[in-house]
């Protein structure tokens, strides 16, 4: 089901209900880009530490926009031994909410845009009809704005004014005094009059309105209601109505309700993420580190400086996540699944020893058909991520005694896969551990090499040709990690390089030590 | 006429012809954003110097993408006393050209995108079918790449290799020797065989191919043609063919022609700008400083550091430009044109004392109808910019004796409007002068004020309430220029502020002197 700005409010209860009923959910995001660094490969070095990887993604990936969000909820139907699924495909765009809202900027990467364009992605839907959103800080600010306005209108003015300007009586600049006096006169007339109930002032500037509000708030704490309206010509003017206390309260309440609705509209898509978060349910994703980072960054808060804090925030926002890519690259799956890219994985998991999961569309929900792929639409990707999870979970049931054909998302047997996020292209650390410290491989067969810009991979092969098979992991165009087959050759390589001028070799340990030193300084 | 990636090559001759026939052209660009600074107003302070304005636009506007370019050519048809116009609306997108091309990133500003979305702008056309482009540096690099590949394939190898690796014979690493030897053997077989004309090697890695190329280039300067092909599985392999010298040359020529075509395709939309530029014809735009900056930045070169250099580059790229907004805000138009925004100007210039220009669509060109506005489509905006220019130029003819009803774009009478670009919202410098130094107003009634973040315009009004009417030009949230009615009050204001703690007032002259000092340091 497609959710855009126009139908968001109407469909919201359906989404909430789906989340409420779900046993677990699958999510997926599409972004306007991946890396604003020189290239994606520098973003994913084979010997990054988890901390380094987090820092790179935080610095080089967060300026892109998460503009499509797929959510697929799965609830188990015991009587028919099948899952019922509801899938939602949200289009997201930070349409400025009002004159005061931040005018968000985001980066697009041509290759990512071109890739999505080739998949038939509908950019018009994003930009013309994407659902807006606010992070928690922006939501707080907007709420404060409303509250300030309200408190001003109610008379409890807290206007910022230079030095110690007296709050009452109002300090009216000389040249505005006669203007304000006339207005006070007309309000007196209104209050004394039997017939007249209301009074519309002439259009005025923001500054004039400020002076009027201050004056009227000070002079008439009760008895009138003052508000700013816009006429046909988009000019703003002040409208004054005589009200008794009852009426005044009612007006205020109506206004407050309307403001709450506006606030909700502005918070927009973030409400969905809040609902997923507070449900505390299992959230499944495929290679989901970037999805989680973008989701938190866009809808909750700026990403923290340190990896440890990021783990804490993630655990708050998503108490239980499972990465199907990590699952597929872990035993017992690792040995029987060769290609863990999402599309391939889904196909593989339809064949023995796996069983295609029994999943039907919930009533009233249009479904996806895995035969006619719609890969890279977020809703579809979330859907097949869910399928992959179900197949793999059920497969684990075959190891139980007695074997089970259905394993629920609450089963202990899948617990070891919780809260571990797949780390792409890191050779010796399979996952980011959200629940504690990360694995620390020795890397005693790894060298760090620095060299001139002109070098290519082949130059490195040539340089190390005496050491048999090597593996090159580029850091940037002037450095790379090179891993040798045998750790005992590392020292030999370092020694032979001692007098080289064009390049420099150090051990991984030396490199890390120097790096930490620099960070301390 | 809409020009996208799919029809670009077919329509190119039409565009070239239109430029060739034209008496003058009008252009307009649509961008993915305007300012990546905190707000547009900080980008356009009322008391910017031209140098400051240039620097701000250069720093805060060039990361956006010019993604729609309107070109409208006008040629005068003497026999019927009318202009014939051809209008083109180009969609532009930096689709990565090949694996080596830079993956361009660009920024989008939500408010600009939302604005265009409301005008019905078709983002899918840009992202799915925009015409690619290269600036001159990128074009040079791509040409070099082709030439290097060619020279390598021809045997005049110039491969970068570490230290002084001997070029002939090739230094093959030990573990690859038997692999290369076997290939040399099979090539010998091929050369000796009567029936066999060609040989496809097994798929190989880039490094293996490099070694093969080097070896074959060294051993067989003639007699064979070697090339890299891709099989169905997208694996690359080397194909070898026996050729005599004649054949070899023909193959090379064909390859060269194909490469030139690929290069032209990659240069893409920039070719249009080159054609406009080399035509040397008058180019008309409305409020065109940003259009010119983006055009040069995207299709020619990085913008220079200094305004003076920018003027030089602009004069090279566009030897003759005319800004209709500057024209409309200059006498004799200033007094009879009240609103110079493009849409309003066009309407105004249809009524006396102006005459609606006689302009017809050239045969085979779909036209625009000014009654059903399509404002903010670049092609339409360029079109009505052209109309505005014609009306205003013809109006100048009424001052001649004897009066003329038609003034050509070559007439001396419009010469004073050449090469002056409108400066938006600068109070006392109407234009950027591309042909020499800029105007230097005194600004002796202007104060520079620094204050706490919390202040609002009203606080400034209050602070200066003793000095009558003031005008505030915000610089950022902690400073502003304030202009007083009378220059002789400036010193009084500075003096009274001497002991103030929360704010600071200095004269404009003091502010500029300090700024220049800082720049020198
Ligand atoms: N108390 C009060 N002050 C207002 C109101 N409307 C405007 N003002 C004040 O006047 C300033 C200028 O308002 P306005 O011209 O409407 O908008 P702006 O110029 O875009 O900020 C605001 O920043 C407020 O401080 C109002 O309804 N109540
Ligand atoms: N002389 C020559 N060298 C080639 C050719 N193809 C590949 N190479 C070399 O092998 C390297 C690796 O090529 P390849 O694997 O195709 O692409 P890459 O890994 O994406 O750069 C290139 O950077 C070239 O130096 C060729 O056709 N001629």
């Amino acid at each position: 089901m497609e959710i855009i700005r126009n139908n968001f409010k109407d469909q919201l209860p359906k989404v909430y209900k789906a989340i409420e009923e779900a046993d677990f959910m699958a999510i997926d995001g599409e972004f306007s880009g991946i890396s604003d660094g020189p290239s994606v490969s520098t973003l994913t070095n084979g010997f990054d530490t988890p901390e380094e990887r987090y820092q790179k993604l935080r610095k080089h990936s967060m300026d892109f926009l998460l503009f499509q969000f797929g959510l697929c909820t799965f609830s188990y139907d015991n009587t028919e031994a099948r899952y019922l699924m509801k899938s939602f495909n949200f289009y997201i765009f930070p349409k400025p909410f009002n004159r005061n809202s931040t005018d968000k900027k985001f980066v697009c990467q041509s290759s990512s845009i071109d890739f999505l364009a080739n998949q038939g992605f509908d950019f018009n839907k994003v930009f013309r009809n994407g659902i807006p959103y606010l992070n928690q800080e922006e939501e707080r600010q907007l709420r404060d704005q409303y509250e300030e306005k309200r408190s001003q209108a109610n008379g409890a003015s807290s206007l910022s004014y230079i030095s110690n300007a007296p709050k009452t009586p109002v300090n009216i600049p000389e040249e505005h005094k006669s203007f304000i006096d006339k207005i006070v006169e007309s309000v007196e007339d209104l209050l004394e009059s039997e017939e007249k109930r209301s009074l519309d002032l002439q259009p005025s500037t923001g500054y004039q309105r400020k002076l009027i509000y201050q004056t009227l708030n000070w002079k008439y704490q009760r008895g009138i209601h003052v508000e700013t309206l816009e006429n046909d010509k988009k000019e703003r003017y002040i409208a004054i109505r005589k009200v008794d206390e009852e009426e005044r309260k009612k007006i205020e309440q109506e206004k407050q309700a309307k403001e709450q609705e506006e606030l909700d509209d502005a918070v927009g898509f973030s409400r969905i993420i809040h609902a997923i978060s507070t449900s505390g349910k299992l959230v499944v994703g495929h290679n989901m580190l970037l999805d989680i980072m973008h989701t938190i960054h866009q809808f909750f808060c700026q990403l923290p400086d340190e990896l440890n804090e990021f783990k804490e925030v993630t655990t708050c926002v998503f108490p239980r996540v499972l990465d199907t890519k990590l699952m597929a690259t872990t035993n017992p799956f690792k040995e029987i699944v060769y290609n863990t890219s999402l599309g391939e994985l889904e196909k593989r998991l339809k064949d023995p020893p796996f069983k295609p999961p029994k999943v039907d569309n919930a009533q009233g929900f249009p479904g996806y058909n895995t035969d006619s792929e719609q890969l890279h639409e977020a809703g579809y990707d979330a859907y097949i991520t869910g399928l992959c999870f179900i197949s793999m979970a059920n497969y684990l049931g075959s190891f139980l005694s007695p074997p089970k054909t259905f394993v629920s998302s609450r089963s202990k047997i899948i617990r070891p896969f919780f809260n571990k996020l797949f780390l792409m292209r890191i050779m010796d650390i399979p996952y980011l551990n959200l629940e504690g410290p990360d694995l620390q491989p020795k890397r005693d067969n790894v060298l760090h090499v620095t060299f001139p810009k002109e070098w290519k991979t082949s130059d490195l092969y040539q340089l190390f040709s005496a050491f048999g098979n090597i593996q090159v992991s580029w850091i940037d165009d002037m450095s790379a990690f090179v891993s040798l087959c045998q750790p005992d050759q590392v020292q030999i390589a370092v020694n032979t390089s001692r007098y080289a001028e064009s390049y420099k070799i150090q051990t991984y340990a030396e490199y890390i030590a120097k790096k930490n030193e620099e960070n301390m300084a």
Side-chain angles (χ1 to χ4, degrees), chain A residues 474-487:
Chain A
W474 287 88
I475 298 168
D476 51 40
D477 59 356
M478 295 184 64
S479 63
F481 292 117
V482 171
S483 45
L484 309 182
C485 309
Q486 281 129 10

Side-chain angles (χ1 to χ4, degrees), chain A residues 21 140 146 193 196 257 273 376 401 449 471 478 506 510:
Chain A
E21 297 166 347
R140 201 188 49 68
Y146 277 122
S193 157
K196 272 196 277 181
I273 302 293
H376 300 293
S401 54
V449 193
Q471 220 168 356
M478 295 184 64
Q506 56 186 340
E510 285 165 349

Side-chain angles (χ1 to χ4, degrees), chain A residues 99 152 206 209-210 213 228 236:
Chain A
R99 294 183 306 159
Q152 282 177 24
R209 289 199 300 281
K210 186 168 186 159
Y213 270 98
T228 302
R236 289 164 164 233

Side-chain angles (χ1 to χ4, degrees), chain A residues 280-295:
Chain A
K281 290 180 182 174
L282 177 64
V283 173
V284 173
H286 190 81
N287 200 3
M288 71 194 300
L289 176 55
L290 259 185
D291 297 276
I292 287 184
M293 288 178 74
H294 267 287
T295 302

Side-chain angles (χ1 to χ4, degrees), chain A residues 30-42:
Chain A
E30 296 295 337
F31 319 113
S32 66
I34 300 293
S35 160
D36 69 359
S39 79
V40 175
S41 60
T42 62

Side-chain angles (χ1 to χ4, degrees), chain A residues 53-71:
Chain A
R53 176 63 57 85
Y54 171 69
Q55 296 302 349
K56 284 190 202 175
L57 293 174
R58 192 171 75 92
K59 282 200 193 110
H60 297 297
S61 287
M62 289 304 117
D63 289 338
F64 299 106
L65 185 69
L66 192 176
F67 52 24
Q68 196 183 48
F69 189 95
L71 168 67

Side-chain angles (χ1 to χ4, degrees), chain A residues 434-498:
Chain A
L434 292 174
E435 295 179 352
D438 288 300
L439 301 171
Q440 292 211 345
K442 276 197 298 188
R443 298 188 173 170
D444 54 4
N445 60 330
V446 179
L447 295 166
H448 178 266
V449 193
T450 322
F451 41 78
K453 263 203 184 78
E454 296 71 36
W455 281 32
K456 298 192 168 161
T457 308
S458 54
D459 297 309
L460 288 167
Y461 278 108
Q462 167 109 348
L463 180 63
F464 289 96
S465 54
F467 298 95
N469 241 339
I470 62 163
Q471 220 168 356
V472 176
S473 312
W474 287 88
I475 298 168
D476 51 40
D477 59 356
M478 295 184 64
S479 63
F481 292 117
V482 171
S483 45
L484 309 182
C485 309
Q486 281 129 10
D488 53 6
Q489 298 203 301
V490 157
Q491 207 49 54
I492 305 174
V494 172
N495 292 344
T496 55
S497 78
R498 200 136 285 166

Side-chain angles (χ1 to χ4, degrees), chain A residues 284-327:
Chain A
V284 173
H286 190 81
N287 200 3
M288 71 194 300
L289 176 55
L290 259 185
D291 297 276
I292 287 184
M293 288 178 74
H294 267 287
T295 302
I296 292 177
H297 171 78
Q298 213 161 292
F299 310 116
F300 279 89
C301 58
Q302 258 205 315
L303 291 180
D305 290 346
E306 304 290 335
L307 175 60
N308 277 339
E309 298 167 69
F310 169 71
K311 291 182 180 182
E312 276 171 36
V313 174
T314 304
T315 313
C316 282
V317 176
F318 296 114
R320 231 176 295 172
V321 294
L322 182 147
D323 190 325
T324 48
K325 183 150 182 126
L326 190 263
M327 199 168 177

